[in-house]
Amino acid sequence: MATTTATLPSITKPLAQELNPSLVTGNLSYHEVTDQVCEIVEGKVHRNWYIGFAISFTIFLMMVGMLGYQLFTGVGVWGNNAPVAWAWDITNFVFWIGIGHAGTLISAVLFLFRQKWRTSINRAAEAMTLFAVACAAIYPVMHTGRPWRTYWLFPVPNLDLNMWQNFRSPLMWDVFAISTYGSVSAVFWYMGLIPDLATLRDRAAVAGDKTRALLYGIFSLGWRFSARHWTNYEKMYLLLAAISTPLVLSVHSIVSFDFATSVIPGWHTTIFPPYFVAGAVFSGFAMVQTLMLVTRWALGLENLITPKHLDNMNKIILATGMIVGYAYATEFFIAWYSANQYERFVFFNRAFGPYWWAYAIMVSCNVLSPQIFWYKPFRTNVMVTFVMSIFVNIGMWFERFVIIASSLHRDFMPSSWGYFKPSYVDICTFIGTFGFFMTLFLLFLRFIPCIALSEVKGAMAAQAHLPGHDPVKGTTPVHAGGHH
Amino acid sequence: MDLIQISPAQNATGKKYWRSLNELSGTPAFSQWVENEFPGGAEILDPNSRRTMLKLMAASFGMAGLVACRRPDEKILPVSKSAEDVIPGKPMFYATAFVNRGVANGIHVEVHDGRPTKVEGNPMHPNSQGAASALAQASVLSVYDPDRARTVHEGANPTNWAAYDKAVAGLVAGFGAGTGLRILSERTSSPTLLSVKAELLKKYPEAKWAEYDSLDGGHAIAGAEMVFGQRLQPVYHFDRADVILSLDDDFMGEDAASVEATKQFSKKRKVSKPGEPMNRLYLVESRFSITGAMADHRMRIKSGEVLQFTSDLAVEVGAKSSLKVLKPGDATQKWLAAVARDLKANAGKCLVTAGPMQSAQVHALAFLINHTLGNIGTTVTFVKPIFEPAQSIQELAKEIGAGSVKTLVILGGNPAYTAPAELNFASAIAKVPASIYLGAEMDETAAAAKWHLPMTHAMEAWGDARSSDGSATIMQPQIAPLYGGRSAIEVAAQLLDGKPKKGYALVQGYWKSVLPAADADRIWRKGIHDGVVPGSTFAEVKATVNAKAIPEVAAAALSGTELVFLSSNLGDGRFANNAWMQEVPEAMTKLTWDNAAHISPAMARELKVETGGMVKITLGSRSIELPALVTPGQAEGSVALQLGYGRKKIGRVGEGIGVNVGELRTSDGWAFASGASVTAVAGSRELAITQEHHSMREPDMPGRKGEMRPVVREGSLEEYKAHPHFAPEVDHAEEMFDLQGVHDYSKGYQWGMAIDLNLCTGCNACLVACNAENNIPVVGQDQIRRGREMHWIRLDRYYTGTEEDPQAVMQPLGCQQCEAAPCENVCPVAATVHSPEGLNDMAYNRCVGTRYCANNCPYKVRRFNYLDWHKHITPVAEMVHNPDVSVRMRGIMEKCTYCVQRIQEKRIAAKVDGRRPIRDGEIVTACQQTCPTDAIVFGNINDPASAVAKAKAEPRDYTLLKEINTKPRTSFLARLRNPNPELKA
């Protein structure tokens, strides 16, 4: 891991640091790491945070207003119609669910594969997962005609109609998949938080802030940094990682069943589960990049989120981007190879029909643009990575839109073909979900250590054993993953 | 607060009912009204009196279950299939007539607790034979039109009937010999009204009775007068004709007696077994009509050239010896010659008809041709006309201009809007010292006349009318007048002595006076009950032909662009405030809530306009601007314009919808006019069209030519004989297995439907019947533009062939009731599930509205309540709802149920009847009931003797999208055409 690329010119100080492939730079001690991360929570709130929060919260309020208007008026305030009965609603739902995937992948799968570089980003990525699931969850509830009845989708006893749900419906599977995903992710995230919350508690106690000490004390569940606690924690963490790992595959597979089990050409495809999972990881990593690069800049975490992280994540983006591209190609090939008239038409219509522009955006953002990551200097460049992450986010949103709207708008009966145009409520609600997401994310940054202290320290310890690195300064107990 | 206080205000400010859903909700008065604890029906019905309301409330306590009844006072007789006595909750059916341009269409009106809710065809009526048109179906909604005139107006001031009675008594006292008294009526066949007319003209010999109909100039009768020397009414017998040539006659579409014609036509169109014969239809027309879509061969020429065509045809068949006027050797001549040969080969069993907008000369020539071919007496007979001669509106306008009219009584028809433009009839009315207008709406004529009297709806008053062959129907009221109106008969009779008259006494008095005295009472009762007066059909008149009386036709070249004025979904405009008719897609173009200039694709290219682009049409000194609608099959150089739109005063639904093309229509160019110019102008309008893609062929794309989709399957009669299974053979024969197991549908009743595409004309009657039966909401222009129409059955129209000279096919598509329904397994809450009888049931209460079912429906027949479509329905308009069908709230899915409420009704009836099995044909769906072609067959497919099982056993039966294994219960019988081999190439 620890190779150097000293030939590249150093332009600015952060960039020079980025070119150092270490996972933690700046030769920090464990204590300095703790200080740097806890400072964000404990210190004076930065002006930028207030500005960001004000903007995000305003946008969030707009979403609340839009949803309220919709709740009292009807789904008709959106642009959905017949034949396009799902449009931006389900597009946004799949988009947000997909975004969450990177969090689980980073925290669980990469943990199991002992990918140490995950440590400085996993906390935020997991938080992102939770918040993305929260954003996504808005849509399945609010897209229904009668949101006040959506509890009927849960197998809870109700006196209205004593009947079971329809377990044949992929939407039912969605309910279980997403609620499982949401709850497991939340537990996993909270588990990982406990030692760090305890650190905050202890630091608050030392500083004499009793309220903070009490609150963090409650949430750290009596953590005492004892070896026994660490042992149990490690085992539990490993178990939860193992439980979460299949969810990375299952959730988006099941979301893809919403489409794959239908009869609609362009939806009715066996390729969807792996295609959706790859797309989800792709979009999730892009979103992690977007968020982390902003956080890194805003909070000065250049030493903890380094070019090595960008490099690794961009490699995953490149790989999953190509899987997605391969899926696009396969769809076309199979449409042609199937000799099925409807199937052929729907794919031609995607590329050349009224929604050709959406398809063009999708392909250029998802397949063409990530190709620049074959070149390492691009992979490690902050600005390039940031711009690319935005591209991928846009491209993946359009992928869902293309799948949903372009398949629906011209299906079997030519008499019923139509076109979907979003209403302003569609647009404002979607923008509003970003406000919701950012509000939650900013609250997270403010109140919870955004970098997993114990895990980073473990990575530092591992790094310290590598040639060319100084041993870590200080004596704070280390999360010693990998040592036993 | 009551609604009355809002409504006139809305009349005044011209609120549009549906154009924006937020409009009405904004009025605080309305919100307050909605919150009002008591619906206050009494207040709505009587604007004047709080005391009346209290009385009615007291009565309602006293009469408990009978509060909603508004049964007329006089004795009216239900048909026997209903309960003998009133059973609350059970509907009653009353026979009466829907009068379209003076022609009676026999109907039954379904009445729930005193409220008419639904029109059905009257099977006992010799002409309608159980079918009803779209307009007849929609007429029930007009009863509850919230913008109907509610009170007598003198000028702009509301007053009451007593004031009118006083005023008219004064007028009558001064009539003397009737000098200056003119009565302008709609064209009427009402025997009672005509007897009142005779009495009036007897009492006031100087008075004159004028008639005007905007859509029928009486050219057929005039043509008969030309060739036979006497006024005669042609009665066509399409069921006796093997070959039919229609000369610009949309006899299955816009004709007043279209139901009758369609019914007859379909009898010769029905082919059960391969090798059976079928009629052949030729048609000459300028615009693509639904009759044109049924035609085996269609020739598009300007409407103005039909005269020349007819003249040449007369020469060709040997009816005339003069020279031909069309250019020899062109395609039209070749076509004409082939048609003439076919007609001659079928002499005596062929028929040539001419459209009502064609001139008397065309009609005369057509009669002559029929005479030469020996068709008179077989496929066409003549009877005494059901209409009487009357003064024309032009002569009346001239007299008004000359100042010789002192009193003008207008009996309906809204001439201020419909009269030829050059007459400026609205200002003419204003010139008359005393003008009285009897009209149902606060319309343009009401604004011009001194007195405006609210007219009763046909379902509110006693009346009578005749069908084309003379058969008379006594029209009985089903509901007491909602707003205390009077009928034309009552208002006309009041002119005799100035005293108000009762319609019942007048109608009964007339009939008792003409029926044989000994049997009068029985015949009267039977006539009311059956919906047709026994023995009232006119006897056939034999007449001699005088060919020389028809003027020679000159070869006149038509200059400029031709404008053709057509009827529309709104009739002559009288249905403009009827939201159902506004929302019915126009049969060929699928345009709703608007009219447009129908132009050919070539003209569109020339003008560089697309559908929706504005064009300016100039004729002489008059011009209008309206959106273009590129219409395949439209004759070159001819623009079709639909009347009835652009109403300035009518009510919240129809005001400001479309453009009044009548502004270009003068007496000279009343049916069609040459010499117009069309130019593209800036601007465009998004037309609310329900079908955007017009072909079964996919659009071409780079690298791929669009393929045909086997949606409507069509073959020739010959092909059917040679390959009977041509239609189902399109599908792959392999059987597919079901992943989720197969339910056993082999036992009990299994409901299914078969639709014969060879019969369906696309007339929209089923669509409106479904509207009424299933309480289908109206969504309005804006929502149709967004693709949210709610019709449970839609009529898909596909063009085939070339863009210039296409053929068209129609396909009624409701829920296909798939046995393996894709909608069912995707619903997370099991709101749509299968019944053991094979119905795809919707549990509205369970639906949460995920819309997944609609996405997964390959037929796209599911309809979603995106908004609360019932939000602005007034309590009076709510009375039209069928109580057997729940009204769906916003946020839930709905779709065709095969009229499950009718199935249940008959199931209960059979059970009550001693647990007997339900008989075949006992359950009739609303679409099936009204279909003038009997294209729709419904029943138990498990019973091999049932009509539906037999239809499904026909070789041309196929299901849509068989390859996705949905196993629909609705199947289609392939379309057939019977082309002339000579014209095939």
Side-chain angles (χ1 to χ4, degrees):
Chain A
M1 281 194 175
T3 53
T4 46
T5 50
T7 49
L8 285 165
S10 61
I11 302 153
T12 61
K13 189 172 169 281
L15 185 66
Q17 284 178 348
E18 278 159 27
L19 296 174
N20 186 329
S22 299
L23 296 171
V24 179
T25 58
N27 200 18
L28 301 172
S29 70
Y30 290 145
H31 187 70
E32 280 164 346
V33 170
T34 307
D35 273 352
Q36 201 174 345
V37 173
C38 293
E39 191 67 21
I40 303 166
V41 179
E42 294 164 345
K44 193 169 176 294
V45 184
H46 196 276
R47 192 173 57 107
N48 285 350
W49 188 91
Y50 279 120
I51 295 170
F53 188 78
I55 296 170
S56 304
F57 195 69
T58 310
I59 298 174
F60 165 66
L61 287 180
M62 175 179 74
M63 180 192 84
V64 173
M66 286 297 144
L67 293 177
Y69 172 53
Q70 184 211 326
L71 187 67
F72 284 98
T73 313
V75 204
V77 299
W78 289 349
N80 300 38
N81 58 30
V84 189
W86 286 350
W88 276 38
D89 44 3
I90 303 301
T91 302
N92 297 341
F93 161 68
V94 182
F95 172 76
W96 279 115
I97 284 286
I99 289 211
H101 271 60
T104 324
L105 188 97
I106 290 166
S107 48
V109 180
L110 297 186
F111 176 77
L112 293 181
F113 284 102
R114 296 286 186 261
Q115 296 293 309
K116 287 290 166 197
W117 60 273
R118 64 179 269 284
T119 52
S120 55
I121 52 169
N122 77 326
R123 171 70 44 76
E126 281 174 45
M128 192 189 80
T129 297
L130 284 177
F131 304 152
V133 169
C135 288
I138 292 170
Y139 283 103
V141 175
M142 291 305 294
H143 96 289
T144 62
R146 304 199 292 172
W148 54 93
R149 293 288 186 215
T150 35
Y151 73 93
W152 283 349
L153 267 74
F154 292 91
V156 289
N158 66 70
L159 294 174
D160 311 39
L161 295 149
N162 287 309
M163 63 186 284
W164 280 107
Q165 284 67 27
N166 179 10
F167 293 103
R168 296 187 299 167
S169 168
L171 284 188
M172 267 320 284
W173 312 340
D174 259 7
V175 168
F176 296 118
I178 293 181
S179 52
T180 308
Y181 184 50
S183 44
V184 170
S185 300
V187 170
F188 194 33
W189 182 66
Y190 183 55
M191 269 292 299
L193 264 177
I194 289 173
D196 293 353
L197 293 175
T199 303
L200 284 174
R201 172 200 65 197
D202 294 350
R203 287 169 64 97
V206 169
D209 187 337
K210 284 193 175 161
T211 320
R212 288 178 73 89
L214 180 70
L215 282 172
Y216 283 115
I218 290 168
F219 287 107
S220 54
L221 304 178
W223 180 267
R224 288 286 175 269
F225 298 103
S226 78
R228 193 184 181 81
H229 282 180
W230 280 115
T231 313
N232 289 342
Y233 171 83
E234 286 288 321
K235 278 184 187 156
M236 190 60 201
Y237 202 80
L238 189 66
L239 275 174
L240 281 171
I243 292 172
S244 304
T245 300
L247 291 178
V248 175
L249 300 176
S250 73
V251 174
H252 233 56
S253 295
I254 287 172
V255 167
S256 80
F257 290 164
D258 286 349
F259 310 105
T261 61
S262 78
V263 299
I264 301 302
W267 283 14
H268 183 67
T269 322
T270 48
I271 198 180
F272 265 17
Y275 165 20
F276 266 55
V277 171
V281 173
F282 183 54
S283 66
F285 268 80
M287 194 53 133
V288 170
Q289 301 257 39
T290 312
L291 287 173
M292 289 311 297
L293 290 176
V294 175
T295 312
R296 177 182 188 264
W297 164 77
L299 303 177
L301 296 173
E302 282 88 357
N303 285 330
L304 298 176
I305 302 165
T306 68
K308 180 67 193 162
H309 294 107
L310 303 190
D311 187 23
N312 284 347
M313 288 200 283
N314 284 335
K315 280 178 184 165
I316 292 181
I317 286 182
L318 180 60
T320 49
M322 288 201 301
I323 296 175
V324 168
Y326 175 69
Y328 299 161
T330 307
E331 281 189 316
F332 267 79
F333 171 75
I334 294 293
W336 169 78
Y337 186 67
S338 70
N340 181 311
Q341 176 182 12
Y342 305 107
E343 198 73 20
R344 281 184 178 184
F345 173 74
V346 88
F347 285 100
F348 266 90
N349 188 51
R350 263 186 201 175
F352 303 110
Y355 283 117
W356 67 269
W357 51 273
Y359 188 80
I361 293 173
M362 173 187 101
V363 170
S364 16
C365 289
N366 292 351
V367 186
L368 301 181
S369 65
Q371 301 306 321
I372 65 160
F373 283 148
W374 288 104
Y375 185 48
K376 184 163 179 180
F378 284 142
R379 289 205 299 271
T380 50
N381 183 298
V382 175
M383 269 325 286
V384 170
T385 304
F386 184 74
V387 171
M388 272 307 305
S389 73
I390 301 287
F391 271 12
V392 173
N393 284 328
I394 293 172
M396 282 309 292
W397 187 88
F398 271 99
E399 181 198 288
R400 279 67 176 247
F401 179 73
V402 162
I403 289 172
I404 292 168
S406 88
S407 305
L408 284 176
H409 92 117
R410 287 180 167 183
D411 66 348
F412 293 102
M413 296 281 121
S415 66
S416 300
W417 290 358
Y419 193 75
F420 164 83
K421 277 179 285 190
S423 73
Y424 80 92
V425 184
D426 273 307
I427 297 166
C428 292
T429 308
F430 181 49
I431 294 172
T433 56
F434 283 96
F436 182 39
F437 181 85
M438 285 311 298
T439 303
L440 292 172
F441 196 76
L442 287 169
L443 288 172
F444 154 76
L445 288 180
R446 181 73 192 92
F447 293 108
I448 290 166
C450 64
I451 288 186
L453 292 171
S454 55
E455 296 211 31
V456 166
K457 288 170 189 169
M460 287 164 71
Q463 189 175 296
H465 295 293
L466 294 169
H469 284 274
D470 297 331
V472 180
K473 298 184 289 181
T475 53
T476 316
V478 180
H479 158 225
H483 279 264
H484 40 95
Chain B
M1 172 58 227
D2 67 30
L3 195 68
I4 303 312
Q5 289 167 12
I6 320 170
S7 297
Q10 279 159 352
N11 280 341
T13 55
K15 277 275 185 194
K16 283 151 212 81
Y17 189 31
W18 283 110
R19 294 201 65 182
S20 155
L21 283 159
N22 297 322
E23 264 174 59
L24 254 182
S25 63
T27 63
F30 187 77
S31 332
Q32 198 191 332
W33 183 86
V34 167
E35 283 158 21
N36 198 347
E37 188 184 349
F38 299 103
E43 294 169 80
I44 298 145
L45 298 179
D46 188 342
N48 300 322
S49 167
R50 180 188 58 85
R51 210 177 288 169
T52 315
M53 190 205 83
L54 290 173
K55 273 193 274 183
L56 278 173
M57 278 182 66
S60 72
F61 287 115
M63 295 170 77
L66 290 172
V67 272
C69 303
R70 288 182 61 80
R71 293 193 181 80
D73 299 335
E74 301 85 5
K75 185 161 186 175
I76 56 176
L77 294 174
V79 292
S80 58
K81 74 174 173 185
S82 296
E84 210 174 315
D85 293 303
V86 182
I87 301 172
K90 276 281 241 195
M92 309 280 265
F93 290 81
Y94 297 97
T96 182
F98 167 71
V99 181
N100 190 14
R101 300 177 220 164
V103 180
N105 294 260
I107 55 170
H108 278 171
V109 178
E110 182 175 354
V111 176
H112 280 274
D113 296 331
R115 301 176 287 117
T117 59
K118 173 85 174 55
V119 166
E120 312 235 302
N122 178 0
M124 282 186 256
H125 193 277
N127 301 107
S128 66
Q129 294 175 47
S133 65
L135 283 178
Q137 288 286 351
S139 66
V140 69
L141 184 66
S142 295
V143 176
Y144 308 106
D145 181 347
D147 300 319
R148 273 180 67 185
R150 288 152 195 263
T151 178
V152 178
H153 275 78
E154 185 180 4
N157 309 318
T159 172
N160 54 32
W161 281 106
Y164 170 74
D165 289 340
K166 208 174 140 205
V168 81
L171 280 174
V172 167
F175 279 164
T179 316
L181 171 63
R182 295 290 179 272
I183 297 156
L184 173 60
S185 166
E186 297 181 78
R187 204 165 69 130
T188 181
S189 65
S190 163
T192 307
L193 186 58
L194 290 173
S195 78
V196 172
K197 169 189 170 184
E199 275 183 71
L200 278 169
L201 295 181
K202 202 167 117 195
K203 182 161 181 206
Y204 309 118
E206 296 296 315
K208 278 185 187 151
W209 181 282
E211 278 186 18
Y212 179 67
D213 185 279
S214 170
L215 300 173
D216 191 336
H219 297 162
I221 296 172
E225 197 169 10
M226 198 180 276
V227 72
F228 299 116
Q230 56 176 310
R231 293 178 76 256
L232 289 174
Q233 170 85 37
V235 180
Y236 296 117
H237 305 280
F238 294 95
D239 51 345
R240 299 180 195 161
D242 290 334
V243 177
I244 297 159
L245 168 65
S246 154
L247 301 165
D248 202 12
D249 185 10
D250 185 11
F251 61 85
M252 288 189 271
E254 287 164 5
D255 277 15
S258 63
V259 169
E260 179 184 340
T262 311
K263 199 96 192 171
Q264 294 175 352
F265 180 84
S266 65
K267 287 192 177 136
K268 278 276 184 182
R269 200 73 182 171
K270 176 123 192 92
V271 177
S272 297
K273 290 184 206 68
E276 280 183 6
M278 181 172 106
N279 62 7
R280 178 177 294 148
L281 174 62
Y282 299 96
L283 180 127
V284 182
E285 65 180 356
S286 57
R287 59 100 39 155
F288 205 168
S289 68
I290 63 166
T291 310
M294 288 302 284
D296 299 299
H297 293 285
R298 174 176 177 270
M299 170 60 69
R300 49 186 194 121
I301 57 174
K302 288 181 176 177
S303 289
E305 292 169 348
V306 171
L307 175 62
Q308 279 87 354
F309 181 95
T310 313
S311 175
D312 276 16
L313 183 75
V315 176
E316 191 75 34
V317 300
K320 254 173 72 181
S321 56
S322 51
L323 289 173
K324 288 195 186 172
V325 287
L326 289 173
K327 259 185 280 167
D330 74 354
T332 313
Q333 272 295 0
K334 200 177 142 220
W335 195 85
L336 184 150
V339 174
R341 271 191 290 280
D342 202 12
L343 287 171
K344 279 196 277 189
N346 289 281
K349 42 191 177 123
C350 61
L351 175 60
V352 179
T353 73
M357 298 307 252
Q358 285 295 332
S359 65
Q361 201 175 355
V362 172
H363 283 269
L365 284 166
F367 297 146
L368 182 65
I369 294 167
N370 279 321
H371 168 75
T372 308
L373 293 169
N375 297 334
I376 292 178
T378 59
T379 58
V380 56
T381 52
F382 289 88
V383 296
K384 183 178 88 178
I386 61 171
F387 304 115
E388 289 184 0
Q391 190 186 32
S392 73
I393 196 165
Q394 287 83 1
E395 290 162 28
L396 175 64
K398 204 187 283 173
E399 287 185 346
I400 294 173
S404 56
V405 178
K406 299 283 174 282
T407 307
L408 176 63
V409 182
I410 303 167
L411 303 174
N414 192 18
Y417 171 79
T418 60
E422 89 281 2
L423 302 181
N424 288 323
F425 207 76
S427 46
I429 294 168
K431 276 186 212 139
V432 179
S435 54
I436 299 163
Y437 173 53
L438 174 71
E441 317 270 355
M442 308 282 285
D443 54 24
E444 293 84 348
T445 311
K450 192 171 177 211
W451 284 91
H452 176 217
L453 318 176
M455 188 182 197
T456 50
H457 187 277
M459 291 176 191
E460 294 175 333
W462 287 90
D464 48 12
R466 291 186 190 273
S467 300
S468 330
D469 64 354
S471 318
T473 300
I474 298 167
M475 295 154 67
Q476 47 181 343
Q478 290 78 45
I479 183 168
L482 282 173
Y483 306 115
R486 286 182 190 169
S487 68
I489 294 172
E490 289 168 335
V491 169
Q494 193 173 359
L495 299 175
L496 284 167
D497 57 5
K499 293 195 188 102
K501 300 276 186 301
K502 292 294 275 181
Y504 179 67
L506 293 165
V507 175
Q508 198 187 34
Y510 167 78
W511 283 102
K512 291 272 163 82
S513 75
V514 293
L515 294 172
D519 218 10
D521 197 49
R522 189 192 63 83
I523 298 176
W524 164 258
R525 285 170 57 100
K526 186 167 166 53
I528 297 176
H529 175 273
D530 292 355
V532 60
V533 181
S536 60
T537 310
F538 288 157
E540 192 183 333
V541 178
K542 301 279 183 203
T544 49
V545 170
N546 176 15
K548 299 227 166 40
I550 308 171
E552 283 299 318
V553 176
L558 299 174
S559 64
T561 305
E562 179 189 68
L563 306 181
V564 179
F565 299 100
L566 298 164
S567 167
S568 68
N569 279 347
L570 311 181
D572 60 1
R574 69 186 59 208
F575 280 86
N577 216 42
N578 188 309
W580 290 353
M581 287 318 294
Q582 287 277 12
E583 192 142 314
V584 168
E586 200 271 336
M588 291 303 290
T589 61
K590 302 297 160 195
L591 175 63
T592 65
W593 290 95
D594 224 330
N595 62 344
H598 299 197
I599 60 172
S600 71
M603 186 187 273
R605 280 191 294 272
E606 198 182 301
L607 294 171
K608 297 192 178 65
V609 290
E610 289 176 0
T611 292
M614 297 299 281
V615 291
K616 183 177 184 181
I617 301 179
T618 312
L619 180 67
S621 59
R622 300 162 198 277
S623 71
I624 54 167
E625 280 183 25
L626 78 170
L629 181 53
V630 183
T631 316
Q634 176 73 27
E636 299 306 340
S638 182
V639 178
L641 299 169
Q642 289 190 308
L643 297 160
Y645 290 84
R647 296 295 303 273
K648 293 206 172 56
K649 281 183 177 292
I650 178 79
R652 60 192 95 172
V653 177
E655 250 164 53
I657 297 289
V659 175
N660 181 10
V661 299
E663 287 173 15
L664 295 179
R665 193 185 190 207
T666 59
S667 301
D668 291 335
W670 182 78
F672 39 83
S674 287
S677 67
V678 183
T679 49
V681 292
S684 67
R685 183 141 98 210
E686 193 190 344
L687 295 173
I689 296 173
T690 59
Q691 187 179 345
E692 288 171 15
H693 190 73
H694 302 303
S695 164
M696 285 183 279
R697 186 177 291 286
E698 298 159 357
D700 293 339
M701 290 189 192
R704 184 172 187 272
K705 183 139 180 58
E707 288 180 55
M708 245 348 231
R709 292 193 171 177
V711 182
V712 177
R713 300 178 191 174
E714 182 179 326
S716 69
L717 197 62
E718 288 304 309
E719 203 177 340
Y720 186 43
K721 198 171 165 187
H723 306 286
H725 291 275
F726 75 91
E729 273 170 5
V730 172
D731 301 308
H732 302 289
E734 64 207 87
E735 277 298 311
M736 280 171 280
F737 76 96
D738 294 80
L739 198 59
Q740 296 174 331
V742 190
H743 185 83
D744 180 15
Y745 289 118
S746 64
K747 303 206 169 53
Y749 302 113
Q750 294 302 332
W751 308 117
M753 185 178 274
I755 301 178
D756 194 340
L757 298 177
N758 191 39
L759 298 177
C760 175
T761 65
C763 72
N764 281 327
C766 53
L767 188 150
V768 187
C770 182
N771 255 5
E773 173 71 18
N774 293 303
N775 302 335
I776 289 169
V778 171
V779 300
Q781 187 178 36
D782 184 49
Q783 294 296 321
I784 293 218
R785 285 186 185 132
R786 290 167 200 256
R788 293 171 179 171
E789 62 272 14
M790 295 299 288
H791 298 133
W792 283 5
I793 188 167
R794 60 170 198 262
L795 284 141
D796 292 344
R797 184 265 307 109
Y798 296 106
Y799 292 115
T800 59
T802 63
E803 193 182 43
E804 274 69 35
D805 237 339
Q807 290 191 314
V809 289
M810 305 286 182
Q811 184 173 42
L813 208 67
C815 175
Q816 303 291 294
Q817 312 284 351
C818 311
E819 283 183 7
C823 52
E824 287 173 11
N825 63 316
V826 298
C827 176
V829 293
T832 185
V833 287
H834 228 65
S835 85
E837 297 183 351
L839 294 183
N840 169 228
D841 288 338
M842 261 312 295
Y844 299 130
N845 287 350
R846 179 65 172 171
C847 179
V848 298
T850 67
R851 303 187 296 286
Y852 197 174
C853 54
N855 286 335
N856 209 26
C857 174
Y859 309 98
K860 289 287 168 283
V861 293
R862 288 182 157 261
R863 301 296 187 205
F864 187 68
N865 288 273
Y866 275 103
L867 295 166
D868 182 3
W869 309 126
H870 297 280
K871 199 170 175 181
H872 304 300
I873 292 224
T874 61
V876 172
E878 265 174 10
M879 289 165 77
V880 81
H881 284 155
N882 179 359
D884 295 336
V885 177
S886 42
V887 173
R888 284 76 59 186
M889 74 179 295
R890 80 165 151 101
I892 62 171
M893 193 60 73
E894 58 183 69
K895 51 136 213 132
C896 160
T897 63
Y898 270 174
C899 284
V900 66
Q901 67 281 4
R902 292 185 174 217
I903 297 175
Q904 297 299 11
E905 188 200 334
K906 296 300 174 194
R907 188 198 311 281
I908 293 164
K911 200 171 172 184
V912 170
D913 230 10
R915 299 185 184 278
R916 62 163 174 84
I918 302 170
R919 284 184 291 268
D920 185 40
E922 197 172 346
I923 300 169
V924 182
T925 63
C927 52
Q928 175 192 14
Q929 200 287 326
T930 205
C931 178
T933 66
D934 299 311
I936 302 174
V937 185
F938 175 82
N940 177 11
I941 56 171
N942 258 1
D943 171 11
S946 70
V948 68
K950 283 180 188 155
K952 281 176 184 286
E954 282 187 35
R956 62 196 166 96
D957 180 81
Y958 72 96
T959 53
L960 270 183
L961 301 176
K962 186 163 187 250
E963 62 270 39
I964 54 172
N965 205 25
T966 50
K967 300 180 189 166
R969 277 287 170 88
T970 300
S971 58
F972 295 94
L973 302 180
R975 178 72 190 261
L976 295 174
R977 278 192 216 264
N978 185 11
N980 183 345
E982 205 182 327
L983 287 170
K984 233 175 179 175

